[in-house]
Amino acid sequence: MHELAAVRIVQEGPVAVVALQGEVDLSNVQEVRGEVLDAVPNSARALILNLSDATYLDSQGIGMLLDITHRLRTRQQQLLLVIPKHTPVWSLLELLSVPNAIPVVGSTQEGVRRLADLPT
Amino acid sequence: MAIMSLVHLPVAALVIERKETEEQLRQSEDRFRTLYQRERGTVKVLQRSLLPTRLPDLPGLSIASRYIPAIPEPLGGDWFDVLPLPDGRISLVIGDVAGRGVEAAAVMGKLRNALRAYALEGHSPKVVMERLHSVMAPGELASVVLIALDPTTWRISYVNAGHVPPLVLNSGGTVQHLTSKGPPLGTPLQRSYEERTARLTPPCTLLLYTDGLIETRQEGILGRLRRLEEAVVSLPRDDLDSFLSRLIEEIFNGTSPIDDVALLAVGPAVLDPRRFRLELPAEPASLATLRGALRQWLPLTGASEDVASGIILAVGEAATNAIVHAYGPSHERFLVEATADQQGIHIAVRDRGRWRAPRGTSRGRGCEIMRALMDRVDITPGADGTTVTLYRSLQVETPSA
């Protein structure tokens, strides 16, 4: 079996940092969703999902991001996306107004700072 | 009485007997020569009828092959084969049956056909090899390499049963040996074979060969192998047919092979920048294959990186719909056809299913993505399937709205 995408836990703790690398489409979207959600323990306050190395996302991937936000929200957990500006994935998210629903930052550090400013 | 005559006519009788013996010897020698020549002819005929007369014409691939019989006589056990598999992959085969003459050629014929049958049933290279092992009769021995190649992603799965490792000639000038352990078919007590996978990076060339290529009386096999590596690196590979001709020249340098030689070279075909066509099974795994093929083709059309990634995304959405709405458990396929000129790129994605009413929001999002990225999107439901046509201009970088 080949792996289109990899989900890597970068940092554990109250702010979980997870990197999603590779391509997400209909063939692996369920699996990736499960792996990302599994990486966030109940004790975590927020998830920073780094998409800097996500090379392909389509409507399935966007649906997954919105679904993850929704699920985390019901657990009162925050989601932040890390996406460098002007990449294809960033353009797609802009196009679909995703940043209105999920905060997008340019780097993990920026995400950590942003979360520190937010009331817990 | 006989004794008497011998006593009386000893010299004459002996002379006559010797003449008869000589005559008999001559006759049997002639008979032997005729039989031998007939067998040699039979080996040639068998071999010719068992090797593919024409390699299949496969989109995206360029293939060349050679069979050089040994001098003074062909041994008869070498073969190669190329066959498209039901899952869209291509099976590449090379093999060498131990022994010589009609028997070796006959075993080769048996193996070639059994391999085709098992491969066409859709078994993995590992399973095909293990079943092939079970059709070997006691005393029969053969080395075989079987590669299943995905011509768009260039992912390969391969199994080696005691054969010289195929070579991958990379565009950077490096040579990679596709090594994998496994004894020859027919080895007693052998039960299972290991299947390995690799992802090749086109433009590269796969070279499968039999050991006749590196076998000489004068030179050790390692020296020959080094010569082979040096030769394949230095030769141009834009035309695989002349690549093989020059390789043979370089290796044999006017001498004749002492063993039969079979060669099979496979590389990516030169794509037509004006035309694209790909038919794939209506299953999620096809999406990555489609993206891989478009990533190779789109740069040739003059589409910028941005335009290309937009087209890949839009076609991906259309293909996702085709897959989601394909009816029946399997065997459904969808077709992606595209033409390009200086004005722009037309793409049609056809399936045989009927789109159901949108369920959930992701379908609506897919259409939104297509409309935002393309200059024109038409979705045409028909009695026998749905066609999505997309158009993207290459003239001006139209801002996506």
Side-chain angles (χ1 to χ4, degrees), chain B residues 75-132:
Chain B
L75 273 69
D78 287 17
W79 94 96
F80 58 84
D81 210 352
V82 176
L83 71 152
L85 299 173
D87 64 0
R89 292 192 295 174
I90 311 299
S91 180
L92 308 172
V93 184
I94 198 144
D96 186 353
V97 175
R100 55 171 59 217
V102 179
E103 286 112 76
V107 174
M108 179 267 265
K110 171 175 83 170
L111 288 180
R112 178 185 181 228
N113 288 324
L115 192 153
R116 286 191 148 238
Y118 291 135
L120 290 176
E121 279 180 354
H123 298 297
S124 68
K126 175 184 160 69
V127 172
V128 171
M129 200 63 100
E130 284 162 5
R131 298 205 170 174
L132 216 52

Side-chain angles (χ1 to χ4, degrees), chain A residues 1 4 15 60 67 72 79 98 102 113 120:
Chain A
M1 283 307 288
L4 269 186
V15 175
Q60 301 292 321
D67 184 59
L72 292 182
L79 174 65
V98 172
I102 315 170
R113 277 200 304 274
T120 39

